[in-house]
Amino acid sequence: MIVVMDGPPEIRVAEDPGALAEMAAREIVDVARAAVAARGRFTVALAGGSTPSATYRRLAAPPFATQMPWDRTLVFFGDERGVPPDHPDSNYGMAHTTLLSRVPISPERVFRIAGEAPDSDAVASEYARTLAEALGVRRGEVPRLDLVLLGLGIDGHTGSLFPGSPVLKETFRTVAAVHAAAASIPERITLTYPTLNAAACVIYLVSGAEKAKVVKAALSDRASGVPAAMVRPTAGRLLWIVDRPAAAALPAARRT
């Protein structure tokens, strides 16, 4: 089912989390193959969280695992917590366990954020350089990823862009350190709005009835206070893939 809304986002509603993972995996393969056909490679920033992890498990299984152009794929991360890669809260660790260790992608093609390093600002600056160098971006330009995957918190945060954070106002840096006082792990590194909004495609993956209210808010033109609402690619596609409970508060009048 597709819910047609006023404005640019495309919203697809899956029956349940399993169907969401299936739908998302298929979409990732389609974007990847189109990018390779057009430019010879596919660049993606992975998200953390339980809903993306289910998608990664599906992507690592047949038939999608063999359909992905892993030898042409470069993997980055949308954000990372201030923990080592083997920590249970590491976004890289989750992606490695559910996806990267299960598919034939070379480690040299995976660019993790060094969350364990003590200086978060230095890590953010280094990751910005890594992103620019890997994508062949000149100084002062914003990197354009083929795909950015994002999750959604019940407070409307996405990546590590939290309500009230000064990083929400960032207009120059492509990667920034974040101190999220209310989060269980406050120190984080995240891609900023300039990077997210430069992407060719952004896909939100959202599951669960507890997200219904914030999904509606993030998709509303009046939701300027919701960080997720500020992700609107300037020259790209924005797709929300949500399950039926998460879509419960969306208008049902225009569905196909």
Side-chain angles (χ1 to χ4, degrees), residues 46-53 56 77-79 81 91 94 149-152:
L46 300 182
S50 59
T51 305
S53 71
Y56 301 159
F77 290 83
D79 73 315
R81 300 176 175 97
N91 288 342
M94 180 274 284
L149 299 175
L150 292 173
L152 179 68

Side-chain angles (χ1 to χ4, degrees), residues 35-48:
V36 169
R39 293 174 292 280
R41 70 178 184 185
F42 170 55
T43 59
V44 58
L46 300 182

